[in-house]
Each structure stands twice: as C-alpha cells, then as structure tokens.
Amino acid sequence: EKNAKTGMYAAAYEISYADIYEYSQKKQSLKKWEVELGIKHVEMEIPWDQPVPDHLVPVVVDYCVNDVDATEKLFDAVYADYVAREILATISRGSMNATNNQLTALFIFGNDPRPQDKFNYVDLSKTFPGYVYEFGKSTYRGIEVGEGGYVYHKPGMYSNVALLDVASMHPHSLITEILLGLKYTTIYYQLVEARVSIKHEDWAALETILEGKLMPYVAKVQAGELSSKDLSTALKTAINSVYGLTCTAYENAFRDKRNHDNIVAKRGALFMVDLLKECESRGMNVIHIKTDSIKIADATQEQIKFISEFGSRYGYTFEHEATYDRLCLVNKSTYIAKYMTPHKDKKTGEEIWWTATGKQFQVPYVFKTLFNSTIQKKLELRWRLKLVTTEYLSGKWDNSVLW
C-alpha cells in the first residue's frame, strides 16, 4: 500500500532481488571499489546536469557498460556477504531486500509489535558502586570513562607484551544483564553459542540450538557447497547488529528508551576500569586498554591467569591473542609490534612477524619497506586516498611517475 505521508510504495523495493551496497559489510561507492579491486575505473567527465551531445553518447554507453561489468566483479568479491544475507533472510523468513537489522529483529522478535515491553532495564551503579552518569558524562573511580569503549594508554617502547582480548565483549554484556528480557535474550544467546559451535565445527551441538534451523546449512558445509566461515559470518552479522541498536537516537525494535547511557558498551568500559585498578594494585605494567583488550608489558603466566579469572567474575572470557617480543605504542590507537613467534596472516595464510595497528604504520610503503621484505611488485605499495575537496592540476602531467 502507498504510504500516505511519503507517497512511497514499500513493495516497490521488492522489484529487485538484493542490493549489493546494502548487504555488503563495507559501505563504499562502486567507483571506490573499482580502485580497490584493481579493475577498470572510469569516471564520467560530462556534467551530469547537462544534455549529452550526440557524438558523446557512445562515451556514456561505455561508462554504463563498465558500471555493469564492475558490478558483476564486485558481486564476486563480496560473495561472502551475499551468502550471509541469504542465510539470515532464510532463517528469519524475511526478504533479501530487508536490511540486516530488520532481518535480525524479525528472527529474534518474530511478529511481536512491542518487544520493548519485555526488556530488562539495568542500573549499572548497582553493579559498579560509585558509577555516575550525569549531564552526558560518565565517571567511575575517579575516571571519566567516556560514552564508548574505555581507552587507556602509556606511549613508549616495551618488551614481552601480552595481548588479551575479551571474546565478544558487547554480546556477553547484553546476555549477562538479560537486557532483551529472558525470552529474547535466550534467543540471542543461542545465536552467540551457535557461532561458537560453527567456529569449532561442533555440528552435533547445532542440532539442539535455535531449534535446528541451521542444520540445512550444516549439511551444505559438510557437502562442500558452503564454507563454515560463510555460515559463521551470517551469524556474526546478526549478533553484531544488535548491541549497537540498543541505544540509538532513532526508533528501532531493539531500542530501550530508558537506556540513556549505552548500557552494553558502558558495562564493558566499567569492567575495564575495575580490571585496570586491580592489575595496577598487583604491580602489573598495564600499557594499553582499548575497549575489549588489555596489554601487559613484562607479562608472566600468573598475571595472564589472574586476568582471565577476573574476567570470568563479570561474565567475560579472555583469550590470549598474542605475545609480542617488542612493541612501540605511539598513542591510544597506534602501535607497531613484533610477535614473539611468527603468526599466520588471516588473509594470505603466510607466516608474519610484524603487525601494525593504526594508519601511521599501516601505510603500505611504510610497513612493507620497514617491516616486511617480501614485496612482490610495486602495486603492493599503493596507498589509496580519497579527495574530498576540489583539486586543480596545471601543466603537463607524466603518468609514468605514478608507477
């Protein structure tokens, strides 16, 4: 039916099967994808608001043809996102054209028009005595925590650095506090558990999780028609979309109007403050905390064990992600580190010794020249930049200087 206020037909969106831009995890223009994928990149030099002269019509046709070719290549490049959307749409009995948020809400809440009435509001000052939220600011134990993840840093050079991450901190904050109410938090919890079972390929466990709805996809994984990673990604998409929706400025099925201080993210931040204070009281050299991770310099096995046990008291599970032989922390988000032992690159599967976090060291020319000696071709040193203002080039330009 036609919307009386907007004059739009909701059903008109179903004229397509799916929108690549919408289901892709990485949101960017087709033109930027062309550059990133290294495929033919064409810009239209004819002003869009002017008539096209007859002799330039073939140029417009070529431009449109290239867009179609690029779209086909992009579909192949983000096929995992397409599969994730297909799985999510199937298990929620929704449309491929619906957003991930809509499909996740449909899967968890079904056709409940007012799921918020079952939500559980939590006063964090009872779990964390002394926590105060007023005038848009959060303070706890003498620290202004901030409204996102908690960040603490001591810039410098360090050795024998242990990196520990909380596994799925935000989902477990939501689960521990039963924020969606018992019924719906249980469904959400099963989504998280299902993803863990998929990562460990514990197919038998999935028979009793989510009423066995994932078993048809398990059969496809076992038959080689689908990868376990594709199945895991579909659930990850749903899991990660939920906690960000619990505290938004706009209406959505997961929003609790009483949640003014972003309970999900705040609980994790307050926990990290407790952890920092506890570690320092025991003489540990905490050098970096970033939302759900902590780095300890000169770490011992006893210290790592303590952190893991401390997290379990709050419903969190720490994973010892890595130990660095040396680490240079520049600021709250930028560091370069060398592993104690080589790690496998998640994309290439190759052994790597160095890892960089933050743009400063991730610039290809910097990282591959200073920390990686396996440069195969000059294209590996490319650095993509986006021009957001007008730039004028004068004189002759020699393209050979670009590569």
Side-chain angles (χ1 to χ4, degrees):
E1 295 182 359
K2 188 175 183 179
N3 187 298
K5 292 183 178 180
T6 65
M8 303 290 286
Y9 287 95
Y13 289 98
E14 296 299 327
I15 197 170
S16 66
Y17 179 66
D19 182 343
I20 296 179
Y21 178 85
E22 204 292 311
Y23 71 65
S24 175
Q25 293 292 309
K26 191 172 186 178
K27 308 294 185 187
Q28 60 185 33
S29 69
L30 182 63
K31 298 302 162 188
K32 194 168 183 178
W33 274 116
E34 289 174 356
V35 174
E36 185 170 317
L37 296 176
I39 59 180
K40 185 178 179 181
H41 175 71
V42 178
E43 294 285 358
M44 175 54 66
E45 298 181 2
I46 304 171
W48 290 102
D49 59 347
Q50 299 294 324
V52 178
D54 290 345
H55 71 285
L56 291 180
V57 168
V59 175
V60 177
V61 172
D62 288 343
Y63 176 86
C64 294
V65 168
N66 185 72
D67 272 5
V68 174
D69 290 340
T71 300
E72 291 178 347
K73 291 181 173 65
L74 175 58
F75 176 79
D76 293 336
V78 297
Y79 184 69
D81 292 340
Y82 169 79
V83 172
R85 169 60 61 83
E86 190 175 46
I87 293 171
L88 194 53
T90 302
I91 64 176
S92 64
R93 297 183 179 179
S95 166
M96 283 288 290
N97 265 322
T99 65
N100 289 330
N101 294 344
Q102 291 170 334
L103 292 173
T104 303
L106 181 61
F107 181 76
I108 294 176
F109 301 134
N111 295 317
D112 188 342
R114 287 291 305 167
Q116 299 91 341
D117 294 341
K118 290 86 173 175
F119 287 1
N120 176 43
Y121 175 73
V122 175
D123 182 354
L124 288 176
S125 65
K126 294 181 179 178
T127 307
F128 301 90
Y131 163 61
V132 176
Y133 175 75
E134 56 184 6
F135 307 114
K137 290 186 178 181
S138 300
T139 54
Y140 179 56
R141 301 184 70 171
I143 296 174
E144 185 174 324
V145 181
E147 300 314 301
Y150 177 58
V151 179
Y152 168 86
H153 65 293
K154 291 196 304 187
M157 290 283 293
Y158 302 95
S159 60
N160 188 25
V161 177
L163 166 62
L164 293 96
D165 280 345
V166 175
S168 303
M169 170 180 270
H170 293 333
H172 282 96
S173 293
L174 187 154
I175 292 167
T176 302
E177 300 295 351
I178 319 177
L179 290 185
L180 302 181
L182 184 58
K183 177 183 177 181
Y184 297 132
T185 301
T186 299
I187 297 174
Y188 183 74
Y189 171 73
Q190 289 186 341
L191 271 175
V192 175
E193 287 299 293
R195 183 165 180 260
V196 172
S197 296
I198 291 167
K199 289 178 71 174
H200 294 100
E201 297 191 350
D202 184 0
W203 309 127
L206 291 174
E207 294 178 5
T208 56
I209 298 177
L210 298 172
E211 300 176 347
K213 290 180 179 178
L214 296 174
M215 293 312 293
Y217 295 100
V218 171
K220 288 187 176 182
V221 171
Q222 293 174 327
E225 300 172 14
L226 189 70
S227 73
S228 58
K229 184 178 179 180
D230 290 337
L231 186 54
S232 176
T233 299
L235 298 192
K236 181 181 179 180
T237 299
I239 291 167
N240 289 349
S241 70
V242 171
Y243 55 78
L245 295 170
T246 58
C247 182
T248 60
Y250 57 89
E251 285 293 333
N252 71 80
F254 294 94
R255 180 179 181 235
D256 188 336
K257 292 182 179 179
R258 300 167 294 180
N259 182 6
H260 298 294
D261 55 341
N262 196 357
I263 293 170
V264 174
K266 192 63 57 63
R267 187 185 192 275
L270 298 178
F271 159 72
M272 293 306 272
V273 171
D274 276 352
L275 178 61
L276 170 65
K277 296 291 187 181
E278 195 65 30
C279 287
E280 288 183 333
S281 71
R282 293 169 178 267
M284 298 186 204
N285 187 9
V286 180
I287 64 169
H288 194 205
I289 289 177
K290 186 78 188 308
T291 307
D292 60 354
S293 68
I294 183 170
K295 297 182 185 71
I296 308 291
D298 305 312
T300 65
Q301 286 302 314
E302 290 76 18
Q303 292 173 344
I304 293 171
K305 182 181 178 183
F306 169 78
I307 291 171
S308 297
E309 291 174 348
F310 189 80
S312 65
R313 301 178 202 169
Y314 293 75
Y316 300 125
T317 300
F318 272 100
E319 296 177 342
H320 186 184
E321 286 290 315
T323 299
Y324 301 120
D325 174 63
R326 67 198 77 164
L327 181 146
C328 174
L329 181 63
V330 178
N331 53 44
K332 64 183 180 180
S333 61
T334 304
Y335 67 87
I336 183 77
K338 183 182 181 182
Y339 292 112
M340 190 72 75
T341 56
H343 277 226
K344 278 193 175 182
D345 188 289
K346 293 181 179 179
K347 293 182 178 179
T348 65
E350 297 176 353
E351 286 192 347
I352 55 173
W353 281 96
W354 291 89
T355 181
T357 298
K359 289 184 178 179
Q360 194 166 324
F361 292 112
Q362 285 180 341
V363 173
Y365 187 83
V366 174
F367 185 76
K368 291 191 175 258
T369 302
L370 298 179
F371 306 101
N372 188 334
S373 59
T374 59
I375 301 172
Q376 303 295 326
K377 49 189 176 181
K378 284 186 176 181
L379 287 178
E380 291 184 21
L381 302 179
R382 290 184 305 177
W383 187 18
R384 288 182 294 273
L385 296 174
K386 181 180 179 181
L387 185 66
V388 294
T389 58
T390 303
E391 180 174 300
Y392 297 96
L393 299 176
S394 61
K396 292 183 179 181
W397 183 259
D398 182 4
N399 285 328
S400 65
V401 302
L402 290 178
W403 304 115

